[in-house]
Amino acid sequence: MDEQSVLNQSIEVLSTIGPKKSEVLIKTGIKTLEDLFYYFPRRYLDRSNVVQIRQLREGQEATIIVKIVRKGIKPGRRKRFILMVSDGTGFLTCVWFSQLNYWQRIFNIGDWLALSGKIGNFGGLQMSHPEFDRLNPNQENKLVHTGKIIPLYPSSEALTRLGFDSRGFRRLMTTLFQKYHQQVEEILPRQVIEELRLMPLKEALRNIHFPDDFDRLYKAKRRLKFDELYYMQVIIALRRHHTLERQSGIKFDQVGNKVKALADQLPFELTGAQKQVLREIRSDMKSSRPMNRLLQGDVGSGKTIVALVALLIAVENGYQGALMAPTEILAEQHYFGLKQQLDSLSVTVTLLIGGQAKAERQSALADIQSGVSDIIVGTHALIQENVNFANLGLVIIDEQHRFGVLQRGLLREKGLNPDVLVMTATPIPRTLSKSLYGDLDVSILDEMPQGRKPIQTVWRPETKRGKIYAFLREQIRAGEQAFIVFPLVEESEKSDLKAATDSYEKMSVDYFKGIPMGLLHGRMKPEEKEAVMAAFKAGELRVLVSTTVIEVGVDVPNATIMIIEHAERFGLTQLHQLRGRVGRGDKQSYCILIGYGELTDEARKRLDTMVETTDGFKIAEVDLKLRGPGEFFGTRQSGLPDLKIADLVRDADLMNTARRSAFALVKEDPHLRKPEHSCVRTRFLKNYKEKFEDIWEP
Ligand code: ADP
Ligand code: MG
């Protein structure tokens, strides 16, 4: 067994880890010894920051080390769980208002804790919902008093139950380091480490878990952040290198009558931004280098028409064009939209989605293969093995953040070096887009079509529901159309679906009696969905109650009111997308966010942001701050590894350093074959190989 694979062993090789414990750890993402080495403390307890209870003042953020002296649930108007603690210099009360029984169960009198939080004053000093970590009275109190920095690990209820609170993790790490620390292998080329004066990996891992001092902890973090950024940039550099290498793409020279006819029949003038972006796409398509372009444009900025023109250019040059969308509803909408605009130009549009009847599907597949179809619109169904294109020349991916890089690659593989255009409504700060999408050129639609009125947005507590629906009824009587959206959270898909269905049934007999309503959700058959959407578009249905299936892309310009139930459960970007379903015509539109129960600070911030602005860029910035780049960009969106410790925004300088270093490496050794790069190659193949199957045989 080579040393690399020693750390690939399951955590069960540790004598203290039985099947039960390993199951919970695996759920947390810790499968191997290596994963455990990379399970970093969430923060550190620094003895120099610990204060005594008698020094506490109201309003202060403080960390104290205390023993539990009393606990209990206090009845009253607001039931709460109370913990009385002491450090010998005084007493302090801690309060929890939710999950009372859980707290009652897990705290024991006599336990030592490190508590952090803000000091409030309610007839005496107290902390509510403090962050806490259990300490081991004998060992760790001593440690604290001798001035060491104590790592505090992230935990969860399930982990805690099996002994993996912060203290449990410290024990586990101690064992891990005793037995396996020597086996940790360097993953960066020596030259890079020396040139950038990075801390060697072994030392960095030891210092991130058991820091000698804050200076070394800082260097350890810098090193580990660098690793993440470096590998991310190696991926980008390889993608860039190996896509540019395929020089010969298709030259689309012709722009003929069909494009002109389409332009003539458009009911509106293209915006300046649309024209500019079309020029950029045009020049890519004309050149023999394959197009690889990202089109960014806020919700409602008019990306579809840009896609349509590009597809038509492909068709006029004798090629097929494919448009892939993330949901069936969106694919169908594109299909009907394109068909309507292209029928008179004798261009054949074909739809391919998962939920089609067998016969329909067979005939679609035959048309795609024989070349009868000029433009093919579909979902993931397009990248399945049995789909063969006659001559696919252009691939467009709508709402690309919903797809992985791999799926993009798979659709590309259906043609011979086709041009690729990916479209997204998620704005990415320019500094980042270069690093994240280093293999793509970027176009931006930074102008909204004329005559749009800003959507008026408010948020209201659930108690105002009656009033809101009264307003809605009035508006509908006056001829408007509305969406009412219920959240669909993955874990509880069933119960949320029930919430939407029940509310729909209830509303149709009370609030909206006599008003034609429709219900739309993901479990319906395609033809049912289609019928409901068509009726809503045609104005026969006045209210559409829906789950988030309408989140992306849906375009019904007549609808002017969007009501979002349980708005506190949605992320900002998602709220922005949903709101973008209205405000698509020249009429005044409204968005009403309904929040339930007591909101967290974060939820409140999200709703406030929605009220304050309709600018997708600003919203993305706030979202990025609230969720952090890891979540915001996600692996799915970028196709890049998730960052655990590095931060794309805060560590921008380090990223640039990593980028230069990674690009130099790939330039010098594009297949990572040199012996001095073998550590990069090994790690790369182990972790990221599948992300490259579309472009690179190592
Ligand atoms: P998105 O960028 O969100 O995909 P769409 O392409 O769906 O936006 O366009 C939103 C709406 O704006 C559609 O109803 C479309 O017909 C309309 N639209 C697009 N371009 C223009 C324009 N230049 N002037 C007026 N309306 C436009
Ligand atoms: Mg769209």
Side-chain angles (χ1 to χ4, degrees), residues 303-304 330 334 398-399 553:
K303 295 183 288 293
T304 315
L330 185 50
H334 280 324
D398 194 15
E399 307 294 350

Side-chain angles (χ1 to χ4, degrees), residues 540-559:
E540 290 152 24
L541 297 174
R542 311 306 296 175
V543 177
L544 187 64
V545 176
S546 158
T547 58
T548 49
V549 289
I550 58 148
E551 178 183 337
V552 288
V554 164
D555 185 42
V556 183
N558 277 326

Side-chain angles (χ1 to χ4, degrees), residues 493-555:
E493 209 174 304
K494 270 204 189 119
S495 62
D496 283 309
L497 185 55
K498 194 163 158 358
T501 317
D502 286 356
S503 308
Y504 166 73
E505 277 162 11
K506 218 169 131 251
M507 285 177 195
S508 50
V509 294
D510 57 27
Y511 285 123
F512 302 116
K513 209 170 157 190
I515 293 173
M517 294 174 72
L519 176 68
L520 194 70
H521 59 75
R523 303 269 180 93
M524 288 160 63
K525 294 209 185 84
E527 57 275 19
E528 290 169 347
K529 282 190 270 187
E530 214 173 281
V532 171
M533 274 312 288
F536 187 60
K537 271 200 165 171
E540 290 152 24
L541 297 174
R542 311 306 296 175
V543 177
L544 187 64
V545 176
S546 158
T547 58
T548 49
V549 289
I550 58 148
E551 178 183 337
V552 288
V554 164
D555 185 42

Side-chain angles (χ1 to χ4, degrees), residues 109-385:
I109 291 177
D111 278 358
W112 280 88
L113 302 174
L115 292 174
S116 306
K118 193 164 178 176
I119 307 297
N121 190 346
F122 301 91
L125 295 186
Q126 72 168 45
M127 272 187 192
S128 37
H129 293 235
E131 267 205 69
F132 70 90
D133 279 282
R134 252 186 270 245
L135 302 173
N136 183 321
N138 306 323
Q139 282 170 11
E140 291 181 337
N141 231 9
K142 243 185 263 152
L143 287 185
V144 172
H145 289 297
T146 53
K148 261 218 172 179
I149 304 168
I150 300 186
L152 302 179
Y153 288 91
S155 185
S156 65
E157 194 179 332
L159 284 167
T160 305
R161 215 177 289 129
L162 289 177
F164 293 118
D165 52 6
S166 217
R167 179 174 52 173
F169 269 114
R170 284 193 290 276
R171 279 203 206 106
L172 186 57
M173 291 299 176
T174 310
T175 318
L176 176 73
F177 273 78
Q178 274 165 2
K179 282 201 139 155
Y180 294 100
H181 186 220
Q182 285 317 312
Q183 331 259 21
V184 171
E185 284 231 311
E186 191 46 72
I187 59 169
L188 288 180
R190 216 185 40 231
Q191 197 198 344
V192 174
I193 295 180
E194 282 169 5
E195 221 174 81
L196 301 172
R197 291 201 204 89
L198 297 167
M199 188 182 258
L201 182 59
K202 228 186 256 177
E203 210 180 321
L205 285 174
R206 195 172 53 74
N207 271 282
I208 196 132
H209 289 285
F210 303 107
D212 294 330
D213 55 51
F214 277 100
D215 182 48
R216 296 178 67 70
L217 174 59
Y218 172 82
K219 290 190 176 121
K221 280 188 181 162
R222 178 167 178 270
R223 159 65 209 248
L224 294 164
K225 286 176 179 180
F226 182 86
D227 287 355
E228 288 186 347
L229 297 168
Y230 181 79
Y231 275 90
M232 175 171 143
Q233 294 298 333
V234 167
I235 291 177
I236 291 173
L238 284 170
R239 289 205 81 87
R240 177 116 203 153
H241 186 90
H242 293 277
T243 7
L244 284 184
E245 243 180 25
R246 339 166 125 211
Q247 282 298 338
S248 62
I250 304 161
K251 276 181 153 180
F252 298 92
D253 306 311
Q254 309 292 324
V255 176
N257 298 333
K258 288 190 205 287
V259 173
K260 290 198 186 80
L262 176 74
D264 288 342
Q265 80 184 39
L266 276 185
F268 47 71
E269 171 94 5
L270 291 180
T271 64
Q274 283 169 324
K275 287 181 188 159
Q276 172 59 28
V277 166
L278 276 171
R279 274 194 291 275
E280 290 163 6
I281 290 174
R282 194 54 213 109
S283 107
D284 280 3
M285 290 183 76
K286 245 201 260 180
S287 108
S288 61
R289 203 191 119 194
M291 170 163 76
N292 214 0
R293 186 169 284 279
L294 171 71
L295 171 56
Q296 248 179 260
D298 204 352
V299 183
S301 60
K303 295 183 288 293
T304 315
I305 184 69
V306 172
L308 173 52
V309 173
L311 288 167
L312 209 46
I313 294 176
V315 173
E316 289 207 299
N317 285 273
Y319 288 91
Q320 290 174 310
L323 174 59
M324 181 159 79
T327 65
E328 294 196 349
I329 289 184
L330 185 50
E332 285 173 344
Q333 173 185 292
H334 280 324
Y335 168 71
F336 289 116
L338 296 192
K339 229 171 117 59
Q340 195 198 348
Q341 297 184 75
L342 295 177
D343 268 356
S344 59
L345 305 176
S346 54
V347 172
T348 309
V349 188
T350 302
L351 177 70
L352 192 72
I353 54 178
Q356 273 166 322
K358 208 167 171 195
E360 213 177 332
R361 184 180 172 78
Q362 287 309 330
S363 103
L365 287 174
D367 288 352
I368 297 168
Q369 184 153 16
S370 67
V372 167
S373 312
D374 298 313
I375 293 177
I376 301 92
V377 181
T379 54
H380 299 85
L382 289 178
I383 52 180
Q384 267 146 24
E385 249 173 67

